[in-house]
DNA sequence: CAGTGGTCTAGACCACAGG
DNA sequence: CTGTGGTCTAGACCACTGG
């Protein structure tokens, strides 16, 4: 069923992976060098290099100059998650998306937030709280701070029609960010709009976004009870 | 402070990223083709290809044959997490690691588990429950099913000294797997060994591991209250 | 059909770190 | 010092797909 792999570097990658799984090259073993493998596989060294590099990126191989390439002793699992725009995530599940702005106000964030964003302790930020609905059922609650020093245009944007989630992506480029996953217990302020019990266990994403040296936005998203984030290894 | 980038493909990647952030190539815009960029940057097309490929992998670019390379309209954030062996994770935080086996029994898993693992409904599995301690405080609770048809050696392994986590990694290769993150509410069976309140909100990882067409193990790990999983974007 | 990205090659030079 | 991976090049052919 699966189409045969035509690309040579993928064949090499698969063959190497195969040998590792077959214990031909057990964990910790030193593999032949690139030039020898290229000869054996009848291809250019560049091709072997690409294959081995891709395996090293997944953590299966450990490569060092002069020391050579070794099979990792304890491969560290690397899981890559895609964090799509909320609208797309919901529509991809075949549900209808709706965005509801709960509150919008300019204020000075609490000290902990200001520190995390690295903006002055008296800096004005725009705070937005919004619900993302899937088929009219609350799917996620978003609690966001937007740094007005970095994004002055946000002051004039109502965010009633378009979610801050999407608006920021369109308007403001970002250079880097940090993200954290955790589990939190629903407080009243969260449980009431979400329609879940107080104390319910909610999957939570915290995300901080920067543009150069300036924090753009900090957002915490609470997902409805039972929400899971999946991926393949 | 940061060492200058010597590799040309990284310079090209950074320059392209720069232009995108500067709106020189706004979202949706069509970029010049590889050959033209190679001329402009004074390098081989291969080098440009590697730079653009790396940007496409992070979701910033959208590349299609004949259609060319475009800046993504809504870059999908991709977060990569490393899921290390529990021992290393704890020791990396400067804490002392200890593994405690709570129970070990051979039995037939519940239907839902058997289905998820794709083993026959009457298949014998080894069930292990264990605590991972950090400085003698419960750090995570592991609830695992090991498919004895795939790993018969596990029947004779006590798992008192070495955790199943590490033993399986050493003994059994795997070809692929699935992983899911969620938030669960601590039942009594979890809360008591973990020393947290019943109903506490716990970050939870479910992981299913396969070797070829055979399920090797299914594990659910509950982390102590407040646990976070971090990464950079 | 034809333009674009995807890949492969043979050869070269270099940075790094082991011995 | 020397072997190894990391990178770069110039050129080539190919697969895919938009027009």
């Amino acid at each position: 069923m699966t189409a045969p792999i035509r690309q040579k570097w993928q064949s090499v990658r698969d063959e190497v992976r195969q040998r590792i799984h077959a214990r031909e090259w057990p964990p910790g073993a030193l593999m032949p060098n690139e030039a020898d493998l290229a000869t054996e596989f009848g291809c250019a060294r560049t091709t072997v290099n690409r294959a081995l590099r891709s395996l090293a990126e997944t953590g299966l191989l450990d490569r060092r100059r002069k020391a050579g390439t070794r099979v990792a002793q304890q491969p560290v699992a690397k899981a890559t998650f895609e964090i799509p725009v909320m609208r797309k995530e919901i529509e991809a599940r075949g549900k209808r998306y709706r965005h509801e702005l709960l509150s919008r106000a300019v204020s000075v964030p609490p000290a902990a937030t200001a520190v995390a964003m690295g903006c002055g302790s008296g800096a004005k930020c725009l705070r937005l709280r919004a619900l993302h609905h899937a088929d009219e059922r609350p799917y996620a609650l978003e609690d966001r701070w937007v740094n007005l020093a970095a994004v002055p245009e946000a002051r004039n944007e109502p965010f009633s029609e378009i979610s801050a989630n999407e608006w920021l992506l369109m308007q403001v480029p970002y250079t880097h960010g940090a993200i954290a996953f955790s589990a939190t217990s629903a407080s009243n302020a969260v449980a009431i709009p979400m329609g879940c019990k107080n104390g319910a266990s909610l999957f939570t994403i915290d995300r901080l976004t920067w543009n150069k040296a300036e924090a753009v936005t900090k957002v915490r998203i609470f997902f409805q009870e039972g929400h899971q984030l999946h991926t393949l290894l």
Side-chain angles (χ1 to χ4, degrees), chain A residues 30-215:
Chain A
L30 181 63
M31 292 174 41
N33 67 30
E34 293 188 349
D36 289 347
L37 286 175
T39 303
E40 180 190 337
F41 291 129
C43 65
R45 184 168 78 92
T46 314
T47 305
V48 172
N49 181 279
R50 178 153 184 198
L52 298 188
R53 178 156 41 87
S54 80
L55 290 173
E57 280 167 2
T58 71
L60 189 59
L61 296 181
D62 192 17
R63 317 191 75 197
R64 274 151 54 203
R65 284 168 151 108
K66 171 72 179 177
T69 301
R70 289 179 180 278
V71 180
Q73 298 270 6
Q74 291 184 328
V76 175
K78 293 186 183 173
T80 300
F81 291 87
E82 300 196 349
I83 319 281
V85 175
M86 203 71 69
R87 172 193 297 281
K88 290 195 173 179
E89 181 175 337
I90 288 172
E91 290 175 348
R93 297 183 179 215
K95 312 261 186 190
R96 205 170 68 77
Y97 174 80
R98 187 169 69 85
H99 165 257
E100 177 191 2
L101 184 64
L102 297 181
S103 70
R104 180 191 185 288
V106 174
S107 69
V108 175
T113 302
V115 167
M117 293 178 70
C119 56
S121 60
K124 289 284 176 60
C125 289
L126 178 63
R127 186 186 189 188
L128 299 164
R129 294 180 79 243
L131 267 178
H132 299 273
H133 296 270
D135 277 353
E136 298 306 323
R137 294 180 55 249
Y139 181 85
L141 173 65
E142 172 176 325
D143 187 352
R144 182 184 296 269
W145 292 91
V146 179
N147 183 2
L148 287 173
V151 200
E153 307 89 338
R155 197 185 283 267
N156 304 316
E157 174 62 42
F159 295 111
S160 51
E161 290 308 313
I162 186 171
S163 76
N165 193 313
E166 295 179 51
W167 185 86
L168 284 166
L169 264 181
M170 305 269 288
Q171 297 296 319
V172 189
Y174 67 92
T175 52
H176 60 288
I179 195 164
F181 295 162
S182 61
T184 59
S185 197
S187 66
N188 260 327
V190 172
I192 292 172
M194 287 289 277
C196 64
K197 288 194 297 281
N198 188 309
S201 192
L202 305 184
F203 184 71
T204 307
I205 295 182
D206 284 280
R207 188 166 164 183
L208 192 53
T209 304
W210 298 74
N211 189 21
K212 309 258 168 59
E214 199 169 46

